[in-house]
Amino acid sequence: MKSQGVRAYTTSAGWLGYPVDKVKRLCQESMEKGHRYFKMKVGSANIQDDVDRAEAIRSVIGYEDEGGRYLMMDANQKWGVTEAIENMKLLAKFKPLWIEEPTNCDDVLGHLTVANALKEFNIGVATGEATSSKVMFKQLLSTNAIKYCQIDSCRLGGVNEVLAVILMAAKFGVPVCPHAGGVGLCEYVQHYAMWDYICVS
């Protein structure tokens, strides 16, 4: 898959606490608007809740070979390393493209352990929204701990540092999927995404 294939903004189509019927409705509405990438939260107190929500989403959007729609999962650092691996093995049947922030954002070796354990399921690790240093990104990239690099335009130290991370990601062949959320951040990050798309990827 070409890197720019995952550089589109994702559409969140499932949050913890939403009833299944609402999740399905949101997925259907997003599909009708032409969205192909869907992201759900994981990390419920009961893993079966995550399984049920993933099953509901896939029942609407289908699978990758049934229309080119992709499902991503986001744990927001909820799990420890072992827990992340065990839970993602249970969720692997839903063919997630990635697991985002599977564990503590500063745990480079933890991310590497998760990444290695999930290779056989073709699930990539995505992280970076809470990473505030290009050195941390260098470690994540050079160890192959992440398959998707998520810069945050407000977390890193300005334009130069963001561009440095984008260039490092390109060097390691890792797609950049900018993190954007909250007031103003989506507008801020689109400039980096455009520069990346035109000049790098």
PDB file of all heavy atoms in Angstrom, residues 10 39-42 72-79 88 97-103 111 123-130 148 150 177-180:
ATOM      1  N   THR A  10      -8.955  10.259   9.330  1.00  0.00           N
ATOM      2  CA  THR A  10      -9.817   9.137   9.662  1.00  0.00           C
ATOM      3  C   THR A  10     -11.143   9.642  10.208  1.00  0.00           C
ATOM      4  O   THR A  10     -11.231  10.739  10.729  1.00  0.00           O
ATOM      5  CB  THR A  10      -9.155   8.237  10.726  1.00  0.00           C
ATOM      6  OG1 THR A  10      -8.829   9.031  11.874  1.00  0.00           O
ATOM      7  CG2 THR A  10      -7.892   7.608  10.184  1.00  0.00           C
ATOM      8  N   LYS A  39     -12.279   4.652  12.536  1.00  0.00           N
ATOM      9  CA  LYS A  39     -11.485   4.392  13.734  1.00  0.00           C
ATOM     10  C   LYS A  39     -12.396   4.239  14.936  1.00  0.00           C
ATOM     11  O   LYS A  39     -13.303   5.044  15.137  1.00  0.00           O
ATOM     12  CB  LYS A  39     -10.474   5.507  13.979  1.00  0.00           C
ATOM     13  CG  LYS A  39      -9.511   5.197  15.126  1.00  0.00           C
ATOM     14  CD  LYS A  39      -8.358   6.182  15.184  1.00  0.00           C
ATOM     15  CE  LYS A  39      -8.747   7.482  15.813  1.00  0.00           C
ATOM     16  NZ  LYS A  39      -7.578   8.347  16.109  1.00  0.00           N
ATOM     17  N   MET A  40     -12.133   3.218  15.729  1.00  0.00           N
ATOM     18  CA  MET A  40     -12.918   2.971  16.936  1.00  0.00           C
ATOM     19  C   MET A  40     -12.011   2.966  18.157  1.00  0.00           C
ATOM     20  O   MET A  40     -10.821   2.670  18.063  1.00  0.00           O
ATOM     21  CB  MET A  40     -13.656   1.631  16.843  1.00  0.00           C
ATOM     22  CG  MET A  40     -12.746   0.415  16.738  1.00  0.00           C
ATOM     23  SD  MET A  40     -13.624  -1.177  16.825  1.00  0.00           S
ATOM     24  CE  MET A  40     -13.966  -1.274  18.594  1.00  0.00           C
ATOM     25  N   LYS A  41     -12.583   3.320  19.290  1.00  0.00           N
ATOM     26  CA  LYS A  41     -11.869   3.240  20.545  1.00  0.00           C
ATOM     27  C   LYS A  41     -11.953   1.812  21.078  1.00  0.00           C
ATOM     28  O   LYS A  41     -12.980   1.148  20.938  1.00  0.00           O
ATOM     29  CB  LYS A  41     -12.469   4.199  21.581  1.00  0.00           C
ATOM     30  CG  LYS A  41     -12.372   5.658  21.199  1.00  0.00           C
ATOM     31  CD  LYS A  41     -10.954   6.156  21.179  1.00  0.00           C
ATOM     32  CE  LYS A  41     -10.902   7.655  20.929  1.00  0.00           C
ATOM     33  NZ  LYS A  41      -9.522   8.143  20.806  1.00  0.00           N
ATOM     34  N   VAL A  42     -10.868   1.372  21.679  1.00  0.00           N
ATOM     35  CA  VAL A  42     -10.856   0.099  22.404  1.00  0.00           C
ATOM     36  C   VAL A  42     -10.298   0.368  23.792  1.00  0.00           C
ATOM     37  O   VAL A  42      -9.740   1.433  24.043  1.00  0.00           O
ATOM     38  CB  VAL A  42     -10.013  -0.975  21.675  1.00  0.00           C
ATOM     39  CG1 VAL A  42     -10.662  -1.392  20.371  1.00  0.00           C
ATOM     40  CG2 VAL A  42      -8.582  -0.481  21.429  1.00  0.00           C
ATOM     41  N   MET A  72      -9.461   1.052  11.956  1.00  0.00           N
ATOM     42  CA  MET A  72      -8.353   1.257  12.873  1.00  0.00           C
ATOM     43  C   MET A  72      -8.880   1.221  14.302  1.00  0.00           C
ATOM     44  O   MET A  72     -10.052   1.517  14.534  1.00  0.00           O
ATOM     45  CB  MET A  72      -7.666   2.600  12.628  1.00  0.00           C
ATOM     46  CG  MET A  72      -6.908   2.664  11.325  1.00  0.00           C
ATOM     47  SD  MET A  72      -7.935   3.121   9.937  1.00  0.00           S
ATOM     48  CE  MET A  72      -8.160   4.859  10.198  1.00  0.00           C
ATOM     49  N   MET A  73      -8.006   0.866  15.235  1.00  0.00           N
ATOM     50  CA  MET A  73      -8.378   0.807  16.648  1.00  0.00           C
ATOM     51  C   MET A  73      -7.435   1.677  17.462  1.00  0.00           C
ATOM     52  O   MET A  73      -6.246   1.758  17.165  1.00  0.00           O
ATOM     53  CB  MET A  73      -8.353  -0.638  17.137  1.00  0.00           C
ATOM     54  CG  MET A  73      -9.357  -1.521  16.431  1.00  0.00           C
ATOM     55  SD  MET A  73      -9.312  -3.241  17.010  1.00  0.00           S
ATOM     56  CE  MET A  73     -10.684  -3.922  16.044  1.00  0.00           C
ATOM     57  N   ASP A  74      -7.965   2.323  18.490  1.00  0.00           N
ATOM     58  CA  ASP A  74      -7.205   3.275  19.304  1.00  0.00           C
ATOM     59  C   ASP A  74      -7.411   2.961  20.779  1.00  0.00           C
ATOM     60  O   ASP A  74      -8.515   3.061  21.291  1.00  0.00           O
ATOM     61  CB  ASP A  74      -7.686   4.700  18.984  1.00  0.00           C
ATOM     62  CG  ASP A  74      -6.870   5.775  19.677  1.00  0.00           C
ATOM     63  OD1 ASP A  74      -6.022   5.448  20.523  1.00  0.00           O
ATOM     64  OD2 ASP A  74      -7.089   6.960  19.371  1.00  0.00           O
ATOM     65  N   ALA A  75      -6.315   2.588  21.463  1.00  0.00           N
ATOM     66  CA  ALA A  75      -6.403   2.228  22.879  1.00  0.00           C
ATOM     67  C   ALA A  75      -6.077   3.394  23.800  1.00  0.00           C
ATOM     68  O   ALA A  75      -6.268   3.290  25.024  1.00  0.00           O
ATOM     69  CB  ALA A  75      -5.462   1.064  23.185  1.00  0.00           C
ATOM     70  N   ASN A  76      -5.580   4.508  23.274  1.00  0.00           N
ATOM     71  CA  ASN A  76      -5.259   5.674  24.096  1.00  0.00           C
ATOM     72  C   ASN A  76      -4.423   5.333  25.334  1.00  0.00           C
ATOM     73  O   ASN A  76      -4.705   5.806  26.436  1.00  0.00           O
ATOM     74  CB  ASN A  76      -6.525   6.422  24.509  1.00  0.00           C
ATOM     75  CG  ASN A  76      -7.123   7.218  23.376  1.00  0.00           C
ATOM     76  OD1 ASN A  76      -8.253   6.948  22.967  1.00  0.00           O
ATOM     77  ND2 ASN A  76      -6.398   8.179  22.831  1.00  0.00           N
ATOM     78  N   GLN A  77      -3.410   4.475  25.142  1.00  0.00           N
ATOM     79  CA  GLN A  77      -2.465   4.106  26.205  1.00  0.00           C
ATOM     80  C   GLN A  77      -3.126   3.372  27.371  1.00  0.00           C
ATOM     81  O   GLN A  77      -2.601   3.352  28.485  1.00  0.00           O
ATOM     82  CB  GLN A  77      -1.721   5.346  26.733  1.00  0.00           C
ATOM     83  CG  GLN A  77      -1.027   6.165  25.669  1.00  0.00           C
ATOM     84  CD  GLN A  77      -0.311   7.358  26.246  1.00  0.00           C
ATOM     85  OE1 GLN A  77       0.483   7.222  27.174  1.00  0.00           O
ATOM     86  NE2 GLN A  77      -0.576   8.538  25.699  1.00  0.00           N
ATOM     87  N   LYS A  78      -4.256   2.756  27.119  1.00  0.00           N
ATOM     88  CA  LYS A  78      -5.036   2.111  28.177  1.00  0.00           C
ATOM     89  C   LYS A  78      -4.368   0.841  28.705  1.00  0.00           C
ATOM     90  O   LYS A  78      -4.504   0.490  29.883  1.00  0.00           O
ATOM     91  CB  LYS A  78      -6.428   1.784  27.618  1.00  0.00           C
ATOM     92  CG  LYS A  78      -7.319   0.956  28.501  1.00  0.00           C
ATOM     93  CD  LYS A  78      -7.940   1.760  29.608  1.00  0.00           C
ATOM     94  CE  LYS A  78      -8.954   0.926  30.374  1.00  0.00           C
ATOM     95  NZ  LYS A  78      -9.551   1.658  31.485  1.00  0.00           N
ATOM     96  N   TRP A  79      -3.662   0.129  27.838  1.00  0.00           N
ATOM     97  CA  TRP A  79      -3.184  -1.201  28.187  1.00  0.00           C
ATOM     98  C   TRP A  79      -1.700  -1.232  28.522  1.00  0.00           C
ATOM     99  O   TRP A  79      -0.921  -0.405  28.065  1.00  0.00           O
ATOM    100  CB  TRP A  79      -3.418  -2.156  27.012  1.00  0.00           C
ATOM    101  CG  TRP A  79      -4.841  -2.360  26.634  1.00  0.00           C
ATOM    102  CD1 TRP A  79      -5.918  -2.426  27.461  1.00  0.00           C
ATOM    103  CD2 TRP A  79      -5.362  -2.555  25.309  1.00  0.00           C
ATOM    104  NE1 TRP A  79      -7.072  -2.641  26.741  1.00  0.00           N
ATOM    105  CE2 TRP A  79      -6.754  -2.726  25.414  1.00  0.00           C
ATOM    106  CE3 TRP A  79      -4.772  -2.603  24.045  1.00  0.00           C
ATOM    107  CZ2 TRP A  79      -7.579  -2.952  24.321  1.00  0.00           C
ATOM    108  CZ3 TRP A  79      -5.574  -2.819  22.945  1.00  0.00           C
ATOM    109  CH2 TRP A  79      -6.966  -2.991  23.080  1.00  0.00           C
ATOM    110  N   MET A  88      -5.446  -7.518  21.397  1.00  0.00           N
ATOM    111  CA  MET A  88      -5.425  -7.359  19.946  1.00  0.00           C
ATOM    112  C   MET A  88      -5.480  -8.701  19.229  1.00  0.00           C
ATOM    113  O   MET A  88      -6.000  -8.794  18.111  1.00  0.00           O
ATOM    114  CB  MET A  88      -4.211  -6.550  19.508  1.00  0.00           C
ATOM    115  CG  MET A  88      -4.314  -5.069  19.849  1.00  0.00           C
ATOM    116  SD  MET A  88      -5.892  -4.296  19.360  1.00  0.00           S
ATOM    117  CE  MET A  88      -5.852  -4.517  17.584  1.00  0.00           C
ATOM    118  N   LEU A  97      -6.367  -2.222  10.604  1.00  0.00           N
ATOM    119  CA  LEU A  97      -5.164  -1.747   9.933  1.00  0.00           C
ATOM    120  C   LEU A  97      -4.085  -1.448  10.957  1.00  0.00           C
ATOM    121  O   LEU A  97      -2.911  -1.729  10.735  1.00  0.00           O
ATOM    122  CB  LEU A  97      -5.490  -0.487   9.129  1.00  0.00           C
ATOM    123  CG  LEU A  97      -4.356   0.170   8.349  1.00  0.00           C
ATOM    124  CD1 LEU A  97      -3.879  -0.740   7.225  1.00  0.00           C
ATOM    125  CD2 LEU A  97      -4.807   1.516   7.788  1.00  0.00           C
ATOM    126  N   TRP A  98      -4.494  -0.843  12.076  1.00  0.00           N
ATOM    127  CA  TRP A  98      -3.528  -0.541  13.130  1.00  0.00           C
ATOM    128  C   TRP A  98      -4.167  -0.566  14.500  1.00  0.00           C
ATOM    129  O   TRP A  98      -5.385  -0.497  14.642  1.00  0.00           O
ATOM    130  CB  TRP A  98      -2.840   0.793  12.875  1.00  0.00           C
ATOM    131  CG  TRP A  98      -3.611   2.067  13.174  1.00  0.00           C
ATOM    132  CD1 TRP A  98      -4.369   2.361  14.278  1.00  0.00           C
ATOM    133  CD2 TRP A  98      -3.633   3.258  12.364  1.00  0.00           C
ATOM    134  NE1 TRP A  98      -4.855   3.638  14.206  1.00  0.00           N
ATOM    135  CE2 TRP A  98      -4.424   4.215  13.059  1.00  0.00           C
ATOM    136  CE3 TRP A  98      -3.044   3.608  11.156  1.00  0.00           C
ATOM    137  CZ2 TRP A  98      -4.664   5.499  12.555  1.00  0.00           C
ATOM    138  CZ3 TRP A  98      -3.272   4.883  10.666  1.00  0.00           C
ATOM    139  CH2 TRP A  98      -4.073   5.806  11.348  1.00  0.00           C
ATOM    140  N   ILE A  99      -3.294  -0.635  15.522  1.00  0.00           N
ATOM    141  CA  ILE A  99      -3.677  -0.360  16.898  1.00  0.00           C
ATOM    142  C   ILE A  99      -2.895   0.893  17.298  1.00  0.00           C
ATOM    143  O   ILE A  99      -1.673   0.929  17.228  1.00  0.00           O
ATOM    144  CB  ILE A  99      -3.396  -1.533  17.866  1.00  0.00           C
ATOM    145  CG1 ILE A  99      -3.696  -1.114  19.318  1.00  0.00           C
ATOM    146  CG2 ILE A  99      -1.982  -2.068  17.728  1.00  0.00           C
ATOM    147  CD1 ILE A  99      -5.131  -0.666  19.564  1.00  0.00           C
ATOM    148  N   GLU A 100      -3.629   1.920  17.649  1.00  0.00           N
ATOM    149  CA  GLU A 100      -3.034   3.213  17.993  1.00  0.00           C
ATOM    150  C   GLU A 100      -2.830   3.316  19.500  1.00  0.00           C
ATOM    151  O   GLU A 100      -3.715   2.957  20.273  1.00  0.00           O
ATOM    152  CB  GLU A 100      -3.975   4.319  17.507  1.00  0.00           C
ATOM    153  CG  GLU A 100      -3.477   5.719  17.741  1.00  0.00           C
ATOM    154  CD  GLU A 100      -4.422   6.751  17.139  1.00  0.00           C
ATOM    155  OE1 GLU A 100      -5.195   6.413  16.217  1.00  0.00           O
ATOM    156  OE2 GLU A 100      -4.376   7.922  17.584  1.00  0.00           O
ATOM    157  N   GLU A 101      -1.669   3.815  19.890  1.00  0.00           N
ATOM    158  CA  GLU A 101      -1.320   3.979  21.298  1.00  0.00           C
ATOM    159  C   GLU A 101      -1.710   2.760  22.126  1.00  0.00           C
ATOM    160  O   GLU A 101      -2.497   2.853  23.062  1.00  0.00           O
ATOM    161  CB  GLU A 101      -1.975   5.238  21.876  1.00  0.00           C
ATOM    162  CG  GLU A 101      -1.388   6.529  21.339  1.00  0.00           C
ATOM    163  CD  GLU A 101      -1.719   7.721  22.207  1.00  0.00           C
ATOM    164  OE1 GLU A 101      -2.897   7.871  22.600  1.00  0.00           O
ATOM    165  OE2 GLU A 101      -0.802   8.499  22.505  1.00  0.00           O
ATOM    166  N   PRO A 102      -1.138   1.593  21.806  1.00  0.00           N
ATOM    167  CA  PRO A 102      -1.511   0.385  22.545  1.00  0.00           C
ATOM    168  C   PRO A 102      -1.045   0.387  23.989  1.00  0.00           C
ATOM    169  O   PRO A 102      -1.605  -0.318  24.829  1.00  0.00           O
ATOM    170  CB  PRO A 102      -0.813  -0.728  21.759  1.00  0.00           C
ATOM    171  CG  PRO A 102       0.355  -0.056  21.104  1.00  0.00           C
ATOM    172  CD  PRO A 102      -0.129   1.324  20.778  1.00  0.00           C
ATOM    173  N   THR A 103      -0.005   1.195  24.283  1.00  0.00           N
ATOM    174  CA  THR A 103       0.541   1.235  25.641  1.00  0.00           C
ATOM    175  C   THR A 103       1.150   2.614  25.889  1.00  0.00           C
ATOM    176  O   THR A 103       0.993   3.523  25.069  1.00  0.00           O
ATOM    177  CB  THR A 103       1.574   0.094  25.827  1.00  0.00           C
ATOM    178  OG1 THR A 103       1.864  -0.063  27.212  1.00  0.00           O
ATOM    179  CG2 THR A 103       2.841   0.331  25.024  1.00  0.00           C
ATOM    180  N   HIS A 111       6.335  -0.705  22.672  1.00  0.00           N
ATOM    181  CA  HIS A 111       5.720  -0.616  21.350  1.00  0.00           C
ATOM    182  C   HIS A 111       6.344  -1.626  20.388  1.00  0.00           C
ATOM    183  O   HIS A 111       5.655  -2.239  19.572  1.00  0.00           O
ATOM    184  CB  HIS A 111       5.858   0.804  20.784  1.00  0.00           C
ATOM    185  CG  HIS A 111       4.839   1.754  21.305  1.00  0.00           C
ATOM    186  ND1 HIS A 111       4.966   2.417  22.500  1.00  0.00           N
ATOM    187  CD2 HIS A 111       3.641   2.149  20.795  1.00  0.00           C
ATOM    188  CE1 HIS A 111       3.917   3.182  22.708  1.00  0.00           C
ATOM    189  NE2 HIS A 111       3.081   3.040  21.690  1.00  0.00           N
ATOM    190  N   ILE A 123      -1.221  -6.428  11.696  1.00  0.00           N
ATOM    191  CA  ILE A 123      -1.725  -5.256  12.405  1.00  0.00           C
ATOM    192  C   ILE A 123      -0.538  -4.360  12.725  1.00  0.00           C
ATOM    193  O   ILE A 123       0.399  -4.769  13.405  1.00  0.00           O
ATOM    194  CB  ILE A 123      -2.446  -5.633  13.708  1.00  0.00           C
ATOM    195  CG1 ILE A 123      -3.626  -6.572  13.432  1.00  0.00           C
ATOM    196  CG2 ILE A 123      -2.924  -4.381  14.440  1.00  0.00           C
ATOM    197  CD1 ILE A 123      -4.259  -7.150  14.691  1.00  0.00           C
ATOM    198  N   GLY A 124      -0.560  -3.138  12.222  1.00  0.00           N
ATOM    199  CA  GLY A 124       0.518  -2.204  12.500  1.00  0.00           C
ATOM    200  C   GLY A 124       0.290  -1.449  13.796  1.00  0.00           C
ATOM    201  O   GLY A 124      -0.823  -1.383  14.315  1.00  0.00           O
ATOM    202  N   VAL A 125       1.361  -0.884  14.332  1.00  0.00           N
ATOM    203  CA  VAL A 125       1.276  -0.043  15.520  1.00  0.00           C
ATOM    204  C   VAL A 125       1.396   1.417  15.081  1.00  0.00           C
ATOM    205  O   VAL A 125       2.278   1.768  14.296  1.00  0.00           O
ATOM    206  CB  VAL A 125       2.377  -0.395  16.539  1.00  0.00           C
ATOM    207  CG1 VAL A 125       2.435   0.648  17.667  1.00  0.00           C
ATOM    208  CG2 VAL A 125       2.154  -1.783  17.116  1.00  0.00           C
ATOM    209  N   ALA A 126       0.506   2.245  15.575  1.00  0.00           N
ATOM    210  CA  ALA A 126       0.520   3.685  15.289  1.00  0.00           C
ATOM    211  C   ALA A 126       0.659   4.441  16.601  1.00  0.00           C
ATOM    212  O   ALA A 126       0.000   4.099  17.590  1.00  0.00           O
ATOM    213  CB  ALA A 126      -0.775   4.102  14.586  1.00  0.00           C
ATOM    214  N   THR A 127       1.512   5.440  16.605  1.00  0.00           N
ATOM    215  CA  THR A 127       1.618   6.277  17.800  1.00  0.00           C
ATOM    216  C   THR A 127       2.327   7.572  17.464  1.00  0.00           C
ATOM    217  O   THR A 127       2.879   7.733  16.374  1.00  0.00           O
ATOM    218  CB  THR A 127       2.337   5.546  18.953  1.00  0.00           C
ATOM    219  OG1 THR A 127       2.009   6.184  20.201  1.00  0.00           O
ATOM    220  CG2 THR A 127       3.841   5.557  18.791  1.00  0.00           C
ATOM    221  N   GLY A 128       2.311   8.503  18.406  1.00  0.00           N
ATOM    222  CA  GLY A 128       3.009   9.769  18.232  1.00  0.00           C
ATOM    223  C   GLY A 128       2.263  10.993  18.712  1.00  0.00           C
ATOM    224  O   GLY A 128       2.876  12.049  18.902  1.00  0.00           O
ATOM    225  N   GLU A 129       0.963  10.897  18.918  1.00  0.00           N
ATOM    226  CA  GLU A 129       0.210  12.088  19.278  1.00  0.00           C
ATOM    227  C   GLU A 129       0.633  12.663  20.624  1.00  0.00           C
ATOM    228  O   GLU A 129       0.458  13.854  20.876  1.00  0.00           O
ATOM    229  CB  GLU A 129      -1.295  11.819  19.278  1.00  0.00           C
ATOM    230  CG  GLU A 129      -1.777  10.907  20.388  1.00  0.00           C
ATOM    231  CD  GLU A 129      -3.287  10.716  20.359  1.00  0.00           C
ATOM    232  OE1 GLU A 129      -3.774   9.960  19.515  1.00  0.00           O
ATOM    233  OE2 GLU A 129      -3.965  11.344  21.195  1.00  0.00           O
ATOM    234  N   ALA A 130       1.206  11.828  21.500  1.00  0.00           N
ATOM    235  CA  ALA A 130       1.671  12.305  22.804  1.00  0.00           C
ATOM    236  C   ALA A 130       3.194  12.341  22.879  1.00  0.00           C
ATOM    237  O   ALA A 130       3.756  12.548  23.945  1.00  0.00           O
ATOM    238  CB  ALA A 130       1.106  11.423  23.919  1.00  0.00           C
ATOM    239  N   TYR A 148       3.051   3.327  11.606  1.00  0.00           N
ATOM    240  CA  TYR A 148       2.404   4.584  11.232  1.00  0.00           C
ATOM    241  C   TYR A 148       2.836   5.657  12.224  1.00  0.00           C
ATOM    242  O   TYR A 148       2.739   5.464  13.437  1.00  0.00           O
ATOM    243  CB  TYR A 148       0.874   4.443  11.234  1.00  0.00           C
ATOM    244  CG  TYR A 148       0.392   3.340  10.318  1.00  0.00           C
ATOM    245  CD1 TYR A 148       0.136   2.071  10.807  1.00  0.00           C
ATOM    246  CD2 TYR A 148       0.241   3.573   8.953  1.00  0.00           C
ATOM    247  CE1 TYR A 148      -0.271   1.045   9.959  1.00  0.00           C
ATOM    248  CE2 TYR A 148      -0.164   2.560   8.100  1.00  0.00           C
ATOM    249  CZ  TYR A 148      -0.415   1.300   8.616  1.00  0.00           C
ATOM    250  OH  TYR A 148      -0.818   0.287   7.768  1.00  0.00           O
ATOM    251  N   GLN A 150       2.445   9.295  13.892  1.00  0.00           N
ATOM    252  CA  GLN A 150       1.388  10.278  14.119  1.00  0.00           C
ATOM    253  C   GLN A 150       1.946  11.543  14.778  1.00  0.00           C
ATOM    254  O   GLN A 150       1.949  11.678  15.999  1.00  0.00           O
ATOM    255  CB  GLN A 150       0.275   9.667  14.974  1.00  0.00           C
ATOM    256  CG  GLN A 150      -0.418   8.515  14.256  1.00  0.00           C
ATOM    257  CD  GLN A 150      -1.501   7.881  15.100  1.00  0.00           C
ATOM    258  OE1 GLN A 150      -1.259   7.461  16.222  1.00  0.00           O
ATOM    259  NE2 GLN A 150      -2.698   7.806  14.548  1.00  0.00           N
ATOM    260  N   CYS A 177       0.610   9.897   9.511  1.00  0.00           N
ATOM    261  CA  CYS A 177      -0.833  10.119   9.651  1.00  0.00           C
ATOM    262  C   CYS A 177      -1.012  11.126  10.783  1.00  0.00           C
ATOM    263  O   CYS A 177      -1.054  10.741  11.956  1.00  0.00           O
ATOM    264  CB  CYS A 177      -1.561   8.817   9.978  1.00  0.00           C
ATOM    265  SG  CYS A 177      -1.274   7.513   8.780  1.00  0.00           S
ATOM    266  N   PRO A 178      -1.065  12.421  10.475  1.00  0.00           N
ATOM    267  CA  PRO A 178      -1.068  13.444  11.524  1.00  0.00           C
ATOM    268  C   PRO A 178      -2.220  13.299  12.500  1.00  0.00           C
ATOM    269  O   PRO A 178      -3.349  12.982  12.109  1.00  0.00           O
ATOM    270  CB  PRO A 178      -1.192  14.749  10.737  1.00  0.00           C
ATOM    271  CG  PRO A 178      -0.712  14.428   9.368  1.00  0.00           C
ATOM    272  CD  PRO A 178      -1.116  12.995   9.142  1.00  0.00           C
ATOM    273  N   HIS A 179      -1.919  13.536  13.760  1.00  0.00           N
ATOM    274  CA  HIS A 179      -2.965  13.563  14.781  1.00  0.00           C
ATOM    275  C   HIS A 179      -3.624  14.935  14.760  1.00  0.00           C
ATOM    276  O   HIS A 179      -2.952  15.958  14.716  1.00  0.00           O
ATOM    277  CB  HIS A 179      -2.364  13.305  16.169  1.00  0.00           C
ATOM    278  CG  HIS A 179      -3.340  13.502  17.279  1.00  0.00           C
ATOM    279  ND1 HIS A 179      -3.255  14.535  18.172  1.00  0.00           N
ATOM    280  CD2 HIS A 179      -4.435  12.786  17.623  1.00  0.00           C
ATOM    281  CE1 HIS A 179      -4.253  14.455  19.042  1.00  0.00           C
ATOM    282  NE2 HIS A 179      -4.985  13.408  18.733  1.00  0.00           N
ATOM    283  N   ALA A 180      -4.933  14.947  14.763  1.00  0.00           N
ATOM    284  CA  ALA A 180      -5.670  16.208  14.773  1.00  0.00           C
ATOM    285  C   ALA A 180      -6.940  16.040  15.589  1.00  0.00           C
ATOM    286  O   ALA A 180      -7.724  15.144  15.351  1.00  0.00           O
ATOM    287  CB  ALA A 180      -6.013  16.643  13.351  1.00  0.00           C
TER     288      ALA A 180
END
